[in-house]
Amino acid sequence: RRGMAGPFEFRLMTLHSSVIWVQVSGKILADKPGGSGFHGIIADINERKRVEDALRHATRQIILLNSITRHDILNGIMSLRHSLELIRDEPLTEKQLHYIEQQEKTIAQIQHQINFTRYYQNIGVRPPRWNDIGERFSAAAGTIPLGNITIAAGVKNIAVFSDDLIERVFANLIENTLE
């Protein structure tokens, strides 16, 4: 009636009072003798909707499992760091101190990588949107210790259609440049 051909999705109640999902698309036949008509298709999409719901549920479960696992790993890392701090209080040779410093660097890298997984778990969870490049770049630069380096982002009023990871991409590029 509104002149829109669809497709439209909605639920219907069957003769047996069960609810099913259908997809309807069609068009108005205005040139029909004696009035107008409608030509369309109704497709049962109940199974697709069931699978979509199951996928959403599985995604939520995976995100929860990732979060719990990440938390447990970070707790283990904190325990390792604490042990190394206690060892540092003991009398050590230069060689032992060197090995402890290497372990601390490795632990820091692992912690950084585990924290980075927090960003990846949201891929596909939220739809992409228009992001202002200058704002996202400046926000990314604000998360990185720059020391005496100054970053100037002169990009204004330019947007890119992307997911939330665009800021993390910029941060990664800045970090790689600083190394």
Side-chain angles (χ1 to χ4, degrees):
R1 285 188 231 168
R2 292 184 221 137
M4 297 165 50
F8 304 101
E9 295 178 358
F10 54 91
R11 292 174 293 188
L12 288 180
M13 186 172 295
T14 67
L15 291 174
H16 304 293
S17 297
S18 62
V19 176
I20 63 167
W21 278 93
V22 296
Q23 183 180 59
V24 178
S25 58
K27 64 179 182 175
I28 294 175
L29 303 173
D31 59 346
K32 203 147 166 71
S36 64
F38 183 81
H39 181 261
I41 297 172
I42 298 177
D44 181 347
I45 59 167
N46 209 49
E47 180 63 15
R48 188 191 87 202
K49 287 294 194 177
R50 187 193 65 73
V51 170
E52 287 173 355
D53 286 344
L55 184 59
R56 272 191 294 279
H57 178 72
T59 300
R60 284 192 299 269
Q61 294 298 326
I62 289 170
I63 289 171
L64 177 61
L65 180 61
N66 283 343
S67 179
I68 291 168
T69 303
R70 184 174 40 255
H71 181 265
D72 291 346
I73 292 170
L74 290 173
N75 280 344
I77 288 172
M78 291 307 294
S79 177
L80 285 171
R81 284 181 181 239
H82 180 69
S83 295
L84 287 176
E85 285 177 24
L86 292 175
I87 291 172
R88 274 189 174 277
D89 292 339
E90 301 297 321
L92 301 168
T93 66
E94 286 298 315
K95 189 174 186 177
Q96 290 170 325
L97 280 172
H98 174 72
Y99 289 139
I100 289 173
E101 287 171 5
Q102 283 183 321
Q103 289 174 343
E104 288 172 337
K105 285 180 183 175
T106 302
I107 289 170
Q109 288 173 336
I110 293 169
Q111 185 174 14
H112 178 72
Q113 289 168 339
I114 293 297
N115 285 329
F116 196 60
T117 65
R118 181 178 291 123
Y119 299 107
Y120 283 113
Q121 84 176 15
N122 292 324
I123 291 177
V125 173
R126 287 185 294 272
R129 60 187 170 89
W130 288 101
N131 287 287
D132 183 284
I133 293 293
E135 288 176 10
R136 297 288 50 99
F137 185 83
S138 295
T143 65
I144 299 167
L146 299 172
N148 60 355
I149 296 173
T150 302
I151 294 180
V155 179
K156 296 197 184 326
N157 301 322
I158 296 178
V160 64
F161 193 67
S162 66
D163 63 18
D164 294 337
L165 281 180
I166 190 72
E167 192 171 311
R168 191 62 224 149
V169 168
F170 289 144
N172 209 30
L173 290 170
I174 295 168
E175 288 170 348
N176 290 343
T177 303
L178 294 174
E179 291 177 359

